[in-house]
Amino acid sequence: MQKDIYNKTGKIQLSVEEQLRQTFGRGNFRDAGSVPSTMASATLSEQITVRQSPIDQSHTAGFDAWMRARGDAAGSVFTADTIADKYGVVKGSYTSIALPSSESYQVKCIKAGPAKESLELASEPLPAALEWGEVLVTLQLAPINPADLYTARTGGMYGDKQSAVPCVAGHDGVGVVTKVRKGVKDLAHGDWVVPAVTHLGSWRTLAVWKEADLLKLPKETLPIEHAAVFRELCLAYRLLEDHGNLKPGDCVILNAANSTVGRVIIQLCHLLQLRCVAVVRECEQPLEGFVQLANRLKALGASLVIQDSGSLKVELEKVKFFAKPKLGLDCVGGASALRLSDALAQGGQLVIYGCMGGKTPSWPWQSWVFKDLQVKGFNLRKWILRNSKQLPTMLDALGKLVMADKLQVAYTEYSFPAEFCEALDHAMSAGKGTKILLRFVESDQSPESNQPENKL
């Protein structure tokens, strides 16, 4: 097949795995024999000449460098649209669009405390009309994430933001735009959208949101169930591409490896020919339970699965796993983060992208001075705000892997609102190994045909 295509076109057809390796990590995973490097064959003087060309030394280059040094404000140009986005538009200067008389079923956080006590089902009428820059969204699917349960437990807190209670619960989900207002520039009826910011309240059937708070997803890229876990897929991808300067054969170690993000990381490591040490919480069940979990993660591509206790460094030495981890990925915090960093190679990097354990890790000074430990944090939403132009390329790569069945996400659906209590119980259970999704519309209805009045 590939030979026939080459004979006809003169081009080699790459598999989805080969396409991933060609573009991932700034070319670090590319087959060295597939793309000639002119710079590698150049002499040192030739390389210096190229890098110090007259163009790079021009006044324009100096001005560009100065603009870059100014940060995000460097390219800001104030127009009527940007002023309207920042300061709003005076009511009365435009005509509002009336909305049908409908109610939105939703989950509200009414106080701080355990999820069973702080969350309640409710219904609330939609606003009478859409205002400037607003859209009506019919929610399709929303996950129940640890961040959602943390926000419920703390009474509306997530990250450095606090929502006043009562507030609608849920940070993530995917919905379909069913009505737009003047002032909306990039969204249209039928578009798929996900929250671009936290605290929007995605556990509801209908929502009126500002376009500026939403991110449009191309429908053809991912199945809608995977669009609902868009953040987990992208987070795993960015953690590996942006950190550790990884190359094939390098080793990555991560905790909470049985989470959705952890499982996606394991599969990407396998596709990128990286060794992956999967660390899971201590099993409350007998050894048989751990063996079953380890076999499942190894089937996804994990090189080694160990329990999150004692010394991970000693455990790796005990089983003669001599590939020192170059990158550690932590979303638990506390003692678990310390164990990961202790297992890293000299000069290794630990990236913190969550703190499910609720305890801040603290390192002894020897780790910084003698082990050259590097620790940094990562937040996907902030990355998207700064790098929106790179998002389509990443989604395209992930979509190809999903459609080729090279990247799998386990999920369990529950109907909302009828099965919400069951979904919440399942989401709070340990070792579930599946993402809990709330489905707001019937599976036999296409998103484009869903109208709010048909659902309520």
Side-chain angles (χ1 to χ4, degrees):
M1 179 66 177
Q2 288 189 348
K3 184 177 179 182
D4 293 338
I5 294 174
Y6 179 78
N7 289 337
K8 290 179 181 179
T9 66
K11 296 180 180 179
I12 299 175
Q13 185 181 39
L14 301 177
S15 67
V16 291
E17 300 102 308
E18 290 169 330
Q19 291 178 44
L20 174 70
R21 291 194 286 268
Q22 285 285 335
T23 59
F24 197 87
R26 297 167 297 280
N28 283 343
F29 294 84
R30 185 181 299 144
D31 181 358
S34 63
V35 180
S37 173
T38 55
M39 185 60 72
S41 60
T43 66
L44 179 60
S45 62
E46 289 171 338
Q47 294 182 43
I48 292 173
T49 301
V50 170
R51 291 171 185 166
Q52 302 297 327
S53 65
I55 294 176
D56 293 326
Q57 297 178 7
S58 69
H59 291 295
T60 302
F63 177 74
D64 289 343
W66 174 74
M67 290 291 284
R68 288 194 298 271
R70 294 183 62 200
D72 295 337
S76 297
V77 177
F78 280 93
T79 64
D81 287 337
T82 56
I83 292 172
D85 290 341
K86 186 170 183 178
Y87 301 105
V89 177
V90 177
K91 281 190 177 183
S93 63
Y94 60 90
T95 303
S96 299
I97 293 183
L99 290 177
S101 178
S102 298
E103 297 225 344
S104 171
Y105 291 101
Q106 54 196 229
V107 179
K108 284 202 167 184
C109 177
I110 57 173
K111 62 180 181 180
K116 285 283 191 178
E117 300 173 13
S118 61
L119 299 176
E120 69 173 19
L121 287 166
S123 65
E124 190 172 284
L126 286 175
L130 288 180
E131 302 299 341
W132 186 273
E134 290 182 339
V135 296
L136 176 64
V137 177
T138 302
L139 274 298
Q140 306 294 303
L141 290 159
I144 300 180
N145 289 327
D148 302 316
L149 302 178
Y150 172 83
T151 301
R153 191 168 65 250
T154 56
M157 172 64 75
Y158 181 68
D160 56 356
K161 294 182 180 179
Q162 173 77 49
S163 287
V165 292
C167 59
V168 181
H171 296 294
D172 296 291
V174 59
V176 176
V177 175
T178 53
K179 197 177 285 286
V180 299
R181 174 69 189 91
K182 189 172 181 180
V184 173
K185 298 186 286 291
D186 300 318
L187 294 179
H189 182 279
D191 284 344
W192 287 8
V193 291
V194 297
V197 297
T198 59
H199 293 90
L200 275 192
S202 58
W203 293 0
R204 57 173 122 188
T205 52
L206 296 166
V208 172
W209 286 329
K210 290 185 178 296
E211 180 190 27
D213 294 333
L214 298 172
L215 187 67
K216 179 180 174 180
L217 292 185
K219 296 181 191 178
E220 65 278 2
T221 302
L222 289 167
I224 198 164
E225 294 81 7
H226 290 76
V229 293
F230 145 88
R231 195 162 62 87
E232 285 84 346
L233 292 169
C234 294
L235 177 58
Y237 190 100
R238 294 259 60 91
L239 287 172
L240 291 177
E241 179 161 45
D242 295 345
H243 304 95
N245 192 27
L246 299 171
K247 296 179 177 61
D250 286 341
C251 181
V252 176
I253 187 170
L254 69 149
N255 55 21
N258 195 37
S259 66
T260 300
V261 175
R263 286 175 169 237
V264 175
I265 290 172
I266 290 171
Q267 293 174 79
L268 287 176
C269 283
H270 177 68
L271 292 169
L272 295 166
Q273 300 172 1
L274 295 167
R275 300 174 187 179
C276 182
V277 177
V279 181
V280 298
R281 73 168 73 184
E282 279 193 282
C283 287
E284 298 175 359
Q285 304 169 349
L287 181 61
E288 181 182 351
F290 169 72
V291 172
Q292 291 176 351
L293 174 58
N295 288 337
R296 287 198 295 270
L297 297 182
K298 285 180 179 178
L300 293 177
S303 304
L304 180 67
V305 182
I306 54 180
Q307 298 193 62
D308 197 355
S309 62
S311 170
L312 302 182
K313 179 181 178 181
V314 171
E315 188 65 26
L316 292 177
E317 292 171 350
K318 188 188 301 182
V319 297
K320 293 182 170 54
F321 192 88
F322 295 121
K324 288 276 189 180
K326 191 175 179 181
L327 175 66
L329 303 172
D330 167 57
C331 68
V332 178
S336 180
L338 294 180
R339 286 192 282 267
L340 283 188
S341 64
D342 184 51
L344 291 176
Q346 182 78 18
Q349 185 179 52
L350 181 71
V351 180
I352 298 174
Y353 64 98
C355 190
M356 290 193 294
K359 295 182 179 179
T360 303
S362 178
W363 284 271
W365 67 271
Q366 290 91 342
S367 296
W368 310 108
V369 175
F370 296 108
K371 197 172 180 180
D372 194 20
L373 175 66
Q374 303 173 49
V375 179
K376 66 169 293 188
F378 180 77
N379 180 274
L380 180 69
R381 284 189 174 91
K382 289 186 177 180
W383 181 90
I384 290 174
L385 289 175
R386 294 191 299 263
N387 303 276
S388 58
K389 291 182 179 179
Q390 296 184 43
L391 189 60
T393 301
M394 176 172 61
L395 289 176
D396 184 60
L398 288 167
K400 287 179 179 178
L401 293 172
V402 169
M403 301 306 286
D405 204 27
K406 299 295 182 181
L407 193 59
Q408 302 172 355
V409 176
Y411 59 88
T412 304
E413 291 185 14
Y414 290 87
S415 297
F416 181 88
E419 298 177 327
F420 174 71
C421 291
E422 296 172 53
L424 191 59
D425 286 335
H426 195 175
M428 293 190 295
S429 63
K432 55 187 175 293
T434 183
K435 177 63 71 177
I436 307 304
L437 297 180
L438 301 174
R439 179 172 282 279
F440 299 102
V441 296
E442 297 298 331
S443 58
D444 58 350
Q445 291 178 302
S446 65
E448 290 79 359
S449 66
N450 274 315
Q451 298 297 327
E453 52 269 35
N454 294 336
K455 192 60 192 140
L456 298 180

